[in-house]
Amino acid sequence: MVISDKDALRYVSGLIVLFLPLLASLFDFWSWIVEVLLIFSVLFQTRSTGCRKTAIFLGIGYILAFIPVGISGISLIGFTPWAGILLVVIKEKGFSTSQSVFWSLLLAALIGALPVIPSVNQALQPENLEKEIALSTQFYQQSLQLIQQFGWPSAIQNQMVSIEQYKSNLQVIMPVYYQLMPSFAGISAMIEIALVYMLYRIFLGGGKLKPFSLWRMPWYAVWLAIIGIAAYLGGDYFANSILRITGMNVMAVAVSITSMIGLSCLAYLIKSLKFSHLLIWIIVIMVAFVSPFFFICLIFTGLFDLVFNFRKIPEKMEEQKP
């Protein structure tokens, strides 16, 4: 009996969905590599055996994963592959690809952010913040001493801020950094699910993607920014730190989406220019890294494109069906 490559891939992906969570927990090796393999396998399995069977297999796999770590080890396990299940489920319900991807990204952001929240609460304790600031300040002081010892050019030494100024900056920046840690984890999960989905569509016969210049999100994605702003302002007005920090993280997730849509709008504009597209993109990337104003313009362009659809892209415009 000859097994085709497609059947072999289906069996392998099924085994990955069932047993990889258990193996990852046994060897304490939960990482983005494990999640990427699971997402690939989930997307392929849903196409081969259906969404319901794949969800059952994945559920069994995660139940097995709890055997070595127990319920207390839930924070050690990555649940991002479930966003892949949601993507396929919504797609099968007749939603457009942009709508399916949007809701999948939101679930990925939530799944990525939730396990980080307890550690954020711990890190924001005043004594822990002071300890981190002291350690970082000590490291900076040692770096200054090394620079002076090795006789670095005076121009470089003059650019270094004083130890007091460095510590003062840390006291402002570090709490904000820890407050935004859930959004950083959520955005990482969003990037993970988005990249895997694109690679699946390209390499595993999932259909041709739309050009980047035509990417967009459903109009109601603007509510993500509205909710974030409202939560932040409400938390600030009522002196509720939980609501304020939640608003900050929701806004950060919204910024990641709108900045990408803003880049897509820019790509649409660049296509109409007669200059070298590669040269323009090099300039754009260089400016984006050095100009906060340019980055803010991208964010607002993407935000308003959600509502006004500057490129006049039909809402129902789709790629080839996966």
Side-chain angles (χ1 to χ4, degrees):
M1 181 178 178
V2 179
I3 300 178
S4 66
D5 292 340
K6 185 176 180 180
D7 289 335
L9 187 58
R10 178 163 58 87
Y11 294 142
V12 170
S13 63
L15 291 174
I16 289 175
V17 171
L18 272 174
F19 296 111
L20 185 57
L22 172 62
L23 293 174
S25 296
L26 280 173
F27 294 100
D28 192 20
F29 188 69
W30 272 97
S31 67
W32 65 269
I33 298 175
V34 173
E35 294 186 0
V36 164
L37 287 174
L38 282 171
I39 296 169
F40 262 119
S41 301
V42 161
L43 293 175
F44 187 82
Q45 278 294 111
T46 52
R47 189 182 181 194
S48 303
T49 62
C51 192
R52 179 175 297 181
K53 288 184 178 180
T54 304
I56 292 173
F57 281 12
L58 188 62
I60 294 173
Y62 272 86
I63 291 172
L64 293 175
F66 284 110
I67 293 175
V69 299
I71 299 298
S72 60
I74 190 171
S75 61
L76 304 175
I77 298 176
F79 292 89
T80 307
W82 287 99
I85 292 285
L86 179 66
L87 193 157
V88 178
V89 169
I90 296 178
K91 185 70 175 171
E92 288 183 349
K93 295 294 183 181
F95 285 77
S96 66
T97 299
S98 62
Q99 292 171 328
S100 304
V101 169
F102 171 72
W103 290 110
S104 176
L105 290 178
L106 284 192
L107 179 60
L110 183 63
I111 289 172
L114 286 178
V116 181
I117 294 176
S119 59
V120 170
N121 184 51
Q122 185 70 20
L124 288 175
Q125 298 299 318
E127 59 274 12
N128 292 331
L129 276 176
E130 285 298 325
K131 187 183 298 183
E132 289 294 326
I133 290 172
L135 288 173
S136 182
T137 303
Q138 183 181 1
F139 177 78
Y140 182 74
Q141 186 176 12
Q142 292 172 351
S143 300
L144 284 180
Q145 293 172 352
L146 286 174
I147 289 175
Q148 295 171 356
Q149 180 180 349
F150 286 102
W152 283 43
S154 57
I156 296 179
Q157 295 188 35
N158 292 335
Q159 294 295 321
M160 308 295 289
V161 299
S162 65
I163 296 174
E164 292 76 13
Q165 183 63 43
Y166 180 80
K167 184 176 181 179
S168 177
N169 293 339
L170 279 183
Q171 289 172 340
V172 175
I173 295 172
M174 193 164 285
V176 176
Y177 167 75
Y178 283 122
Q179 289 169 6
L180 289 175
M181 277 182 61
S183 66
F184 297 153
I187 291 170
S188 297
M190 291 168 61
I191 294 173
E192 190 176 292
I193 191 74
L195 288 178
V196 173
Y197 181 64
M198 284 191 296
L199 292 174
Y200 164 75
R201 296 288 298 269
I202 293 171
F203 295 108
L204 293 182
K208 186 178 180 181
L209 290 172
K210 282 192 298 189
F212 177 66
S213 59
L214 298 179
W215 285 15
R216 72 185 312 265
M217 286 287 165
W219 68 268
Y220 48 77
V222 72
W223 279 101
L224 190 64
I226 295 172
I227 292 171
I229 294 171
Y232 176 79
L233 294 177
D236 192 53
Y237 181 79
F238 293 107
N240 188 314
S241 60
I242 295 177
L243 188 60
R244 180 177 57 83
I245 293 173
T246 300
M248 291 171 59
N249 284 275
V250 172
M251 283 192 292
V253 172
V255 163
S256 68
I257 293 175
T258 54
S259 60
M260 184 58 61
I261 300 303
L263 278 174
S264 178
C265 292
L266 183 61
Y268 185 85
L269 175 64
I270 289 175
K271 286 181 65 176
S272 64
L273 300 178
K274 296 181 180 179
F275 299 103
S276 169
H277 293 173
L278 177 60
L279 177 61
I280 293 175
W281 273 114
I282 292 175
I283 296 174
V284 165
I285 293 172
M286 290 176 63
V287 173
F289 277 104
V290 300
S291 173
F293 176 76
F294 180 80
F295 184 67
I296 292 172
C297 289
L298 284 180
I299 293 171
F300 278 98
T301 300
L303 184 65
F304 287 110
D305 180 71
L306 293 173
V307 180
F308 299 108
N309 192 5
F310 296 136
R311 295 162 290 173
K312 305 302 178 185
I313 302 173
E315 190 71 27
K316 295 296 183 181
M317 181 179 179
E318 289 294 330
E319 312 95 327
Q320 297 177 12
K321 191 174 181 180

